[in-house]
Amino acid sequence: MTDPLEALRAPIEPVDPDPAFAARLRERVRRALLEPKEAGMTTDTRDVVSPVEARLHTLTPYLCVDDGQRALEWYSRAFGARLRTEPTVMEDGRVGHAELAIGDSVLMLADEWPELGLVGPRRRGGPSQSIYLTVPDVDTVVDRAVELGAELSRPVADHPYGRNGVIHDPFGHRWMITTPPPSARPTLTLRHGDIGYMALWVPDVQRAADFYGPVLGWRFTAGSAPQGRQVEGPSGQRVGLWGDQDHATLFPCFMVDDVHTAVRRVRQAGGEAEEPTRAPYGLVSNCTDDQGMPFALLQTTEEMTAPAQPAPGSVAYLTFEVPDSERFRAFFGAVLGWTFSPGRVPGGWNVLNGGTEVRPMSGLHGGHDRSRVVPMYAVDDIEAAIARVRASGGECSAPEPQHYGISSMCTDNQGSRFYLGQLR
């Protein structure tokens, strides 16, 4: 089974070390060499992430906890934290220093050192600060933290600055956990060649709505025809369902600066393109490429944006599965100006638009019997998402760790393939 993000992998190339990491490493070595022999030092063997995935910012929280080993495990389970470097563990078992990556930020922590006047909130009688954590789905994170032993201080509720809840973790620290309102979340402007709209083609639109609603948290409004549904949700993407289709695929609509020019390019490249028609959102042409893949072209005068980071329930990645990857590259290079870089598997390619990833991020894989587009949906908790798929009549493979997170290959209740991805 092809990994949907395998096409993005590139050969490992040496890079200069991160200066901040190198400085901390030198200091750790210096402390270890100067440390009295009886103090000793061991290192943890748990999985460590690359230091480039999260960086130190101007201000970094450094927590004192009363059980460092348990804290490393708890923050990993509750907030998805990952070890950034191997923690320093002293001979008496106390954590001398540890760094956890949470999103693009770093959380440092160490065990209590009463002999140095360093103790945690519970020994001092309560926290003296709050830690503000931004997450895609505050309800899921707060519920999981409480299940793992956190104390709910303020239930999750909507506020002008976003949806917010407050907990005290098992070590006494106060966390304000927030999902910003959609208008406050970072967005990217869609460009010529990006995907502005996606429609999931399905045999029965109502069965699809009954499946994807509980699985991904999608809500629906009526589409332009009885077999259509528009998806509403927190993703900020333009997604729909389109029924009465015998070919299960995702139908992409590509943004173009000039639809008439793009139509000519489609025809010149060996594809088919209808004459553009006017819709409320711009000029649209329905097309087919030279290997039978359906798609559309959209020219709009309005600026269209997409979320900078995939939110739970959104399309995080697309895999273009095609019979001939060379023909695909030639066609869409001519029509959209796409370029491609090799992946690490035969027939696998990264899809680039203007030298950066196409939006949403996509890959190409050749050697298939028929062209189809297979989506990966972002989820916050892949185990819970897999349970929802199975409860709704679908099937999922066992989750597997990947370099980008954890993934599972699934089929819905009508046999359409998709992936779930819990992304780092």
Side-chain angles (χ1 to χ4, degrees), residues 29-41 88 90-91:
V29 172
R30 185 190 70 80
R31 290 199 308 265
L33 292 175
L34 295 178
E35 211 170 48
K37 292 190 187 316
E38 63 270 20
M41 182 178 73
T88 302
M90 311 311 293
E91 193 174 67

Side-chain angles (χ1 to χ4, degrees), residues 37-122:
K37 292 190 187 316
E38 63 270 20
M41 182 178 73
T42 61
T43 57
D44 198 300
T45 59
R46 282 169 287 198
D47 184 38
V48 176
V49 299
S50 167
V52 301
E53 294 185 14
R55 294 186 178 275
L56 294 174
H57 298 289
T58 303
L59 185 65
T60 301
Y62 200 137
L63 304 185
C64 185
V65 295
D66 53 17
D67 189 339
Q69 293 287 359
R70 184 188 174 209
L72 293 176
E73 179 68 22
W74 195 88
Y75 293 132
S76 173
R77 296 179 64 192
F79 301 146
R82 296 152 289 131
L83 287 172
R84 187 170 182 260
T85 61
E86 291 185 354
T88 302
V89 182
M90 311 311 293
E91 193 174 67
D92 63 3
R94 287 187 293 179
V95 175
H97 176 77
E99 296 182 9
L100 294 170
I102 301 181
D104 64 352
S105 301
V106 176
L107 172 69
M108 296 182 181
L109 67 83
D111 260 306
E112 293 183 321
W113 297 85
E115 61 270 34
L116 300 178
L118 299 174
V119 295
R122 294 200 297 190

Side-chain angles (χ1 to χ4, degrees), residues 9 44 70 94 125 153 308 314 374 404:
R9 299 182 182 178
D44 198 300
R70 184 188 174 209
R94 287 187 293 179
S153 177
S314 67
V374 182
Y404 53 82

